[in-house]
Amino acid sequence: MHISTKLSHLKNNPYQVFFSLDLWLLAIWGFLLLGVVSRLFVYLDCQNLWLDEAFLAKSIYHTPWGQILGKPLEWDQATPLGFLLITKGLGEMFGHGEMVLRFLPFCASVALLFVFWAITKELLTPKWQLVAMMIFVGSKTLVYYAAEFKQYEIEALCSAILLLAFIRGASFLRFLLLSAVVVLFSYGGVFLICGLGAGYIYRHRQNLPHFIKHNVLAALSFSVYFALLYFYYIAPQAVPGFKQWWGALAGFPPINPIELVRWLSAQFLPAIRDFALGGNIRALWLFVLLTLLGVLYIARIQRALVAGLVCFVAIYWLAGFMKLYGFAVPYNILGARLALFWQPLFVLCAACGIAWLYEKLAKSRLGGGRKYLSLCSDITLHR
């Protein structure tokens, strides 16, 4: 369309200025830039290593290459094998300074922004993509761990990559190959792999025997691969100190239903309040409600994804009840680190919940004005 024709069209339809596709995309790119700059600023600030970071750095660089497998790290430290190998290699090539140590988490934090946007584009229109990016970029925990010498930002990236592969309909074989890489960089990723694996079963439920026949060998191969990784690297690092530490901080959920409800309100939710925009506990309760509504929204588009997420949550909680994996604890911003890997899912569901709620309000009589605006927006976006 010629420029003069566009200007004439905008003059006759002024509302289009506020609902044009280009404007939404421009705003999204603006928040992406803000996210990159904020993470770069934290990374370049280059604070001295705090105690836990220093212990991890010393234990990695004091462990000879030949003693990495089958032996726990020193000072009650644990980190995924891939993170250890790359960090150790970077240190030997470029030195052991703070910027070298934190380079991998920083790169993961930047990549995470773009992977998460790719996820939102599969489920949401540009205006709701913008909402999701606003929440995601504003996460205090993601910004903090962008320059923390720990693997938690990488775990969040791994979760986002798995989620994107599933939503885009990657074959189960490709998903398993991707999962084989993920378990090298993320402890929590195995829960999401199992959950989304159940989602694949749900997706192919109409022809389940055929699906099992063509993928059973790949699933068994991945199981053997993960078992070797677990028994030769992960299990030796699970020293008693970890269970005692997280148990003392109420990092494991109680089995008693009444105590569990109290634990959720007093321990778990306050610990992850920084997942929500602003880090306010009241805002978190709102985001929890929006997350539940978002599950309903996603169920209309991808029921297999909802089935996978439900299985993921069930397996994740089961591991907590069995005291195999610690949960977040109300310990300032540091308390949410073990749960950081599922923040992309939390924000995605919350953004979908906002979209669902908006649609319901737009259709009601009380939301008549919003209905008009939504209609104008939809007309413009689909031109």
Side-chain angles (χ1 to χ4, degrees):
M1 185 183 295
H2 195 270
I3 295 179
S4 60
T5 306
K6 285 186 176 182
L7 292 175
S8 177
H9 184 71
L10 288 175
K11 184 178 180 180
N12 296 328
N13 301 274
Y15 68 84
Q16 187 176 0
V17 174
F18 300 100
F19 296 107
S20 66
L21 182 61
D22 293 340
L23 190 60
W24 292 122
L25 291 177
L26 181 62
I28 292 171
W29 276 105
F31 272 95
L32 278 171
L33 179 61
L34 177 63
V36 173
V37 171
S38 62
R39 284 148 178 79
L40 181 61
F41 177 82
V42 175
Y43 174 66
L44 295 179
D45 189 36
C46 201
Q47 297 288 333
N48 293 331
L49 298 179
W50 70 287
L51 185 63
D52 213 20
E53 289 179 296
F55 279 161
L56 180 59
K58 196 171 183 179
S59 61
I60 287 178
Y61 293 127
H62 280 202
T63 301
W65 289 98
Q67 298 181 16
I68 289 176
L69 298 179
K71 181 182 177 181
L73 295 176
E74 298 176 337
W75 296 286
D76 287 343
Q77 295 298 309
T79 194
L81 180 59
F83 180 77
L84 185 152
L85 294 177
I86 294 180
T87 300
K88 191 173 178 64
L90 289 174
E92 293 190 359
M93 288 187 293
F94 303 105
H96 303 157
E98 286 86 349
M99 295 190 70
V100 175
L101 293 174
R102 293 166 174 162
F103 180 72
L104 196 57
F106 167 70
C107 292
S109 70
V110 174
L112 178 58
L113 295 173
F114 292 90
V115 174
F116 182 75
W117 183 30
I119 293 173
T120 63
K121 288 193 289 186
E122 298 294 326
L123 299 176
L124 298 167
T125 58
K127 64 179 178 181
W128 302 122
Q129 294 171 31
L130 175 60
V131 171
M133 294 307 300
M134 289 172 62
I135 301 171
F136 202 69
V137 169
S139 167
K140 292 170 64 176
T141 46
L142 289 178
V143 174
Y144 176 83
Y145 284 103
E148 174 88 352
F149 179 51
K150 289 288 184 176
Q151 73 273 12
Y152 304 115
E153 194 86 18
I154 302 172
E155 291 197 344
L157 174 62
C158 288
S159 295
I161 291 173
L162 288 173
L163 193 61
L164 179 61
F166 183 86
I167 292 175
R168 287 187 172 178
S171 67
F172 188 63
L173 177 59
R174 290 186 177 182
F175 178 80
L176 288 180
L177 291 174
L178 185 62
S179 300
V181 178
V182 164
V183 293
L184 292 176
F185 293 91
S186 172
Y187 287 140
V190 67
F191 303 122
L192 186 57
I193 291 169
C194 293
L196 294 180
Y200 271 99
I201 294 176
Y202 181 88
R203 179 179 284 172
H204 295 87
R205 65 191 182 280
Q206 301 296 340
N207 198 11
L208 192 57
H210 180 268
F211 174 78
I212 294 176
K213 178 181 178 181
H214 284 78
N215 294 286
V216 63
L217 183 60
L220 288 174
S221 300
F222 175 79
S223 299
V224 172
Y225 163 79
F226 180 74
L228 292 173
L229 177 65
Y230 179 82
F231 288 110
Y232 283 97
Y233 181 78
I234 298 176
Q237 294 192 39
V239 295
F242 283 110
K243 186 173 292 187
Q244 295 171 3
W245 173 254
W246 290 107
L249 293 175
F252 298 110
I255 298 179
N256 184 294
I258 297 178
E259 294 179 357
L260 177 60
V261 173
R262 294 173 180 170
W263 181 85
L264 285 170
S265 177
Q267 300 288 132
F268 186 71
L269 288 178
I272 63 171
R273 65 185 180 273
D274 290 318
F275 280 12
L277 192 62
N280 184 282
I281 188 62
R282 294 181 180 178
L284 180 62
W285 281 106
L286 174 61
F287 272 74
V288 170
L289 175 61
L290 292 172
T291 298
L292 297 176
L293 295 178
V295 172
L296 298 177
Y297 181 95
I298 296 174
R300 300 185 308 178
I301 306 171
Q302 289 216 16
R303 290 187 178 181
L305 176 58
V306 173
L309 294 182
V310 169
C311 290
F312 155 69
V313 172
I315 296 171
Y316 183 63
W317 282 95
L318 179 62
F321 289 132
M322 297 175 65
K323 297 186 177 181
L324 297 175
Y325 191 84
F327 280 72
V329 294
Y331 188 62
N332 202 356
I333 198 170
L334 301 177
R337 50 185 172 179
L338 288 186
L340 191 64
F341 74 96
W342 54 266
Q343 186 168 5
L345 288 71
F346 174 75
V347 176
L348 177 67
C349 290
C352 289
I354 296 174
W356 183 89
L357 188 61
Y358 183 90
E359 287 183 359
K360 293 300 180 182
L361 290 175
K363 291 179 181 179
S364 67
R365 292 183 178 180
L366 294 177
R370 293 181 179 178
K371 180 177 180 180
Y372 171 74
L373 294 176
S374 176
L375 178 62
C376 294
S377 175
D378 292 339
I379 291 174
T380 303
L381 291 176
H382 289 88
R383 285 187 175 179

